[in-house]
Amino acid sequence: MQDKELYEKLLGIKAPWKVIDVALDMQKSCVTVKLGHAKGVQFPCPVCGVLCSVYDHEARRWRHLDSCGFMTILEAEVPRISCKDHGVKQVSVPWAEGGSRFTALFEAIAISLLKVASLSDVAKVLRISWEEASGIMERAVKRGLKRRVALPVKALAIDETSFQKRHEYVTVLFDRERDCVIDILDGRKKETLQRWLKEHQESLKELDSVTMDMWDAYIGAVKETIADACQKICFDRFHVAQYFTKAVDKVRADEHRYYKAKYGTSPLTKTRYMWLRSKESRSEHAPASFAALSRMNLKTARAWRIKESALELWTLTDRKDSEAAWRRLLGWTARCRLPPMIEVGRTIRSYLWGILNATVKRATNAKVESVNAIIQKLKVRACGFRNRARFKMAILFHYEKLSLLPEGLT
Ligand SMILES: [Zn+2]
């Protein structure tokens, strides 16, 4: 088999296109495959599809997958047609998308690598620049967003995650039913979220629950845009648990400091994570001494017992039972004489309605929280994103179930 024929087969080149030359540069470890088309052929206008005569040609180059370790370049004189309705246009070629300097197959491989490795690693492996790798990612996201159809969202989650500097945030909108990111908004202001909710009224018609933190900006935005918001807003277990955990940690730190100052030693030394861990993860790690410690007359132990009891209330799914149990717990919290716990109790009391919604609907943001954890890891892996747009693009690339591959390869 001739090398031209071989490359025609390998590249899947079909008429009117053919391989007209294959040149090997041993010094540069590079193969250049020249493609051309038969004379007198008409090509469809890329806008309307009507067959038109060739007007002129433009020289184009694409990077393709390596052949046996040799960098492989496709070259072609791509025709421009003259359509009577759309003017002079470059025709589309079957091996690459318009405007790309890479073949569709090359982009597809880059996309699958980008799913598992960082931009700089992919750039190194594929011998392209960081900007080129980022460009492939950006085109993939644009392609996916264009193909996406707006589906009705029934279970929405709204959460914030920090971007780059500690106090810069983005708001992540997540479809809990489909398990994917829907959108990412700048900041965490009420107005921004409100605008988004208004723009997406159509797909939110069947909305049943919105999980979020007890955060007034988000609550306000939802209340002002969604009908029956007070029945739909859910403050999930994860966020509520965080409030209790933080308060327990504060009680422990204060008490530990008190013992150290007064006696030079403290029973709470090196126990921090045992008080903070959830029941499930603690049982594996806690030494037997923790059980004894938790029974001692310590402020920390008292605070911890309140936290543990609060977390167990989540097993109740009847609204009345749940409300009665929470009210008992809040009474206990109010009498406990531990300021951080009293503070949490007050917060919970004013947001109890949404906590009850969450228990009844069994709605939780746990998945969003794990997305946040992955997003934070992604940030570390990418050594920070140069700007917000790139950060958002990476989240969409990794967590929105978009169809990313070039045309014909999906
Ligand atoms: Zn046309």
Side-chain angles (χ1 to χ4, degrees):
M1 197 189 279
Q2 293 288 312
D3 47 4
K4 283 186 221 168
E5 242 180 281
L6 173 72
Y7 269 97
E8 247 162 46
K9 289 248 157 60
L10 287 178
L11 296 166
I13 299 295
K14 291 200 177 78
W17 290 98
K18 57 186 179 187
V19 173
I20 52 174
D21 188 37
V22 178
L24 180 67
D25 185 331
M26 289 302 283
Q27 257 172 353
K28 288 184 183 158
S29 299
C30 179
V31 184
T32 304
V33 181
K34 275 206 174 102
L35 302 161
H37 64 85
K39 283 212 170 76
V41 189
Q42 288 194 310
F43 287 90
C45 162
V47 186
C48 63
V50 168
L51 285 176
C52 306
S53 306
V54 173
Y55 173 78
D56 64 359
H57 288 87
E58 237 171 25
R60 296 278 314 270
R61 280 165 71 87
W62 301 266
R63 173 77 188 280
H64 187 58
L65 303 174
D66 290 1
S67 350
C68 305
F70 281 58
M71 188 181 277
T72 304
I73 304 290
L74 305 193
E75 280 183 1
E77 293 281 328
V78 179
R80 295 203 302 165
I81 49 91
S82 173
C83 170
K84 69 177 183 358
D85 292 325
H86 302 103
V88 176
K89 297 265 173 215
Q90 189 169 74
V91 306
S92 28
V93 293
W95 56 85
E97 283 193 342
S100 176
R101 282 177 294 160
F102 304 98
T103 65
L105 267 177
F106 187 91
E107 291 207 34
I109 294 289
I111 289 165
S112 55
L113 289 175
L114 284 167
K115 280 279 181 190
V116 294
S118 71
L119 277 168
S120 41
D121 285 344
V122 172
K124 211 179 290 163
V125 167
L126 293 179
R127 289 183 281 166
I128 55 179
S129 70
W130 193 94
E131 280 73 20
E132 285 173 325
S134 171
I136 290 176
M137 191 188 235
E138 198 175 323
R139 267 200 302 283
V141 170
K142 275 195 186 143
R143 206 180 282 133
L145 289 176
K146 214 169 140 190
R147 285 174 189 158
R148 182 179 63 177
V149 260
L151 297 163
V153 179
K154 287 182 191 156
L156 178 68
I158 305 172
D159 211 345
E160 56 173 43
T161 186
S162 65
F163 156 75
Q164 214 158 23
K165 291 179 207 105
R166 275 186 71 85
H167 297 294
E168 247 188 285
Y169 291 90
V170 289
T171 297
V172 180
L173 295 150
F174 190 85
D175 184 333
R176 298 197 330 271
E177 201 182 26
R178 291 191 192 87
D179 194 13
C180 66
V181 174
I182 308 170
D183 215 337
I184 297 134
L185 316 177
D186 289 340
R188 48 175 184 173
K189 286 213 176 85
K190 181 182 165 188
E191 294 72 34
T192 320
L193 177 60
Q194 208 168 348
R195 201 177 318 125
W196 189 92
L197 292 169
K198 269 188 194 150
E199 282 167 13
H200 294 79
Q201 287 283 359
E202 207 39 48
S203 51
L204 298 172
K205 273 185 178 163
E206 295 172 39
L207 190 67
D208 175 62
S209 69
V210 191
T211 45
M212 60 170 87
D213 191 1
M214 293 169 270
W215 171 249
D216 288 332
Y218 291 166
I219 299 170
V222 174
K223 275 191 177 171
E224 283 169 37
T225 39
I226 305 287
D228 303 322
C230 289
Q231 273 92 60
K232 291 174 184 168
I233 294 175
C234 298
F235 305 121
D236 67 300
R237 185 179 191 265
F238 181 89
H239 283 114
V240 174
Q242 261 185 344
Y243 284 79
F244 278 105
T245 306
K246 275 183 195 152
V248 171
D249 198 34
K250 180 113 203 333
V251 173
R252 185 207 53 84
D254 290 346
E255 193 172 32
H256 180 58
R257 220 174 294 124
Y258 165 82
Y259 273 102
K260 288 290 266 185
K262 195 162 181 191
Y263 305 105
T265 173
S266 159
L268 294 165
T269 303
K270 288 185 179 165
T271 63
R272 184 177 180 206
Y273 291 99
M274 289 179 225
W275 302 107
L276 305 187
R277 268 200 195 104
S278 67
K279 204 176 196 175
E280 303 84 47
S281 59
R282 188 179 43 247
S283 51
E284 295 168 32
H285 305 281
S289 58
F290 180 72
L293 196 63
S294 68
R295 282 193 293 271
M296 275 172 72
N297 187 22
L298 290 165
K299 286 179 177 176
T300 309
R302 256 194 295 146
W304 172 80
R305 278 195 292 274
I306 295 176
K307 176 195 81 161
E308 294 294 301
S309 309
L311 296 187
E312 271 168 28
L313 298 186
W314 246 267
T315 52
L316 301 170
T317 51
D318 176 82
R319 197 177 188 99
K320 269 190 182 160
D321 292 351
S322 177
E323 180 163 9
W326 273 104
R327 298 251 176 238
R328 276 195 299 278
L329 184 103
L330 291 174
W332 178 17
T333 310
R335 292 186 307 270
C336 75
R337 285 172 286 127
L338 302 167
M341 299 309 284
I342 294 173
E343 181 72 32
V344 177
R346 280 203 200 110
T347 308
I348 299 294
R349 197 182 288 277
S350 50
Y351 293 101
L352 188 59
W353 56 278
I355 295 176
L356 296 177
N357 286 346
T359 52
V360 175
K361 289 181 191 285
R362 294 169 180 268
T364 168
N365 256 13
K367 269 184 191 156
V368 192
E369 286 308 322
S370 60
V371 169
N372 278 353
I374 303 167
I375 289 172
Q376 295 308 323
K377 253 189 242 161
L378 188 75
K379 256 165 53 179
V380 174
R381 194 173 71 180
C383 305
F385 285 86
R386 295 182 195 185
N387 59 45
R388 200 185 285 263
R390 284 233 168 95
F391 179 55
K392 281 171 35 174
M393 176 183 83
I395 300 175
L396 292 171
F397 183 83
H398 288 281
Y399 304 110
E400 182 155 13
K401 289 181 179 163
L402 293 176
S403 137
L404 298 168
L405 295 180
E407 218 53 60
L409 297 173
T410 45

Coordinates of all heavy atoms in Angstrom, one line a residue, residues 45-50 52 81 83-87, ligand 1:
C45 N -22.6 25.6 0.8 CA -22.4 26.8 1.6 C -22.6 26.4 3.1 O -23.5 25.7 3.4 CB -23.5 27.8 1.2 SG -23.7 29.1 2.4
P46 N -21.7 26.8 3.9 CA -21.7 26.4 5.4 C -23.0 27.0 6.1 O -23.3 26.5 7.1 CB -20.4 26.9 6.0 CG -20.0 28.0 5.0 CD -20.5 27.6 3.7
V47 N -23.6 28.0 5.5 CA -24.8 28.6 6.1 C -26.1 27.9 5.6 O -26.9 27.4 6.5 CB -24.9 30.1 5.9 CG1 -26.0 30.7 6.7 CG2 -23.5 30.8 6.2
C48 N -26.3 27.8 4.3 CA -27.6 27.3 3.8 C -27.5 25.9 3.2 O -28.5 25.3 3.0 CB -28.1 28.3 2.8 SG -27.1 28.5 1.3
G49 N -26.3 25.4 2.9 CA -26.1 24.1 2.4 C -26.3 24.0 0.9 O -26.1 22.9 0.3
V50 N -26.6 25.1 0.2 CA -26.7 25.1 -1.2 C -25.4 24.9 -1.9 O -24.4 25.5 -1.5 CB -27.4 26.4 -1.7 CG1 -27.3 26.5 -3.3 CG2 -28.8 26.5 -1.3
C52 N -22.3 25.3 -4.2 CA -21.8 26.5 -4.9 C -20.5 26.2 -5.5 O -19.8 25.3 -5.1 CB -21.6 27.7 -3.9 SG -23.1 28.1 -2.9
I81 N -16.3 29.3 -1.1 CA -17.3 29.3 -2.2 C -18.0 30.7 -2.2 O -17.8 31.5 -1.2 CB -18.4 28.2 -1.9 CG1 -18.9 28.3 -0.5 CG2 -17.9 26.9 -2.3 CD1 -20.1 29.1 -0.2
C83 N -21.6 32.1 -2.3 CA -23.0 31.8 -2.2 C -23.7 33.1 -2.6 O -23.4 34.2 -2.1 CB -23.4 31.4 -0.8 SG -25.2 31.3 -0.5
K84 N -24.8 33.0 -3.4 CA -25.5 34.2 -3.8 C -26.2 34.9 -2.6 O -26.4 36.1 -2.6 CB -26.4 34.0 -5.0 CG -27.7 33.2 -4.7 CD -28.5 33.1 -5.9 CE -29.8 32.4 -5.9 NZ -30.3 31.7 -4.7
D85 N -26.5 34.1 -1.6 CA -27.2 34.7 -0.4 C -26.2 35.1 0.7 O -26.4 36.1 1.4 CB -28.2 33.8 0.2 CG -29.4 33.6 -0.8 OD1 -29.7 34.6 -1.4 OD2 -29.9 32.5 -0.8
H86 N -25.1 34.3 0.9 CA -24.3 34.5 2.0 C -22.9 35.0 1.7 O -22.0 35.2 2.6 CB -24.2 33.3 2.9 CG -25.6 32.8 3.3 ND1 -26.3 31.8 2.7 CD2 -26.4 33.4 4.3 CE1 -27.5 31.7 3.3 NE2 -27.6 32.6 4.2
G87 N -22.6 35.3 0.4 CA -21.3 35.8 0.1 C -20.2 34.8 0.1 O -20.5 33.6 0.0
Ligands
ZN1 ZN -25.6 30.2 1.5

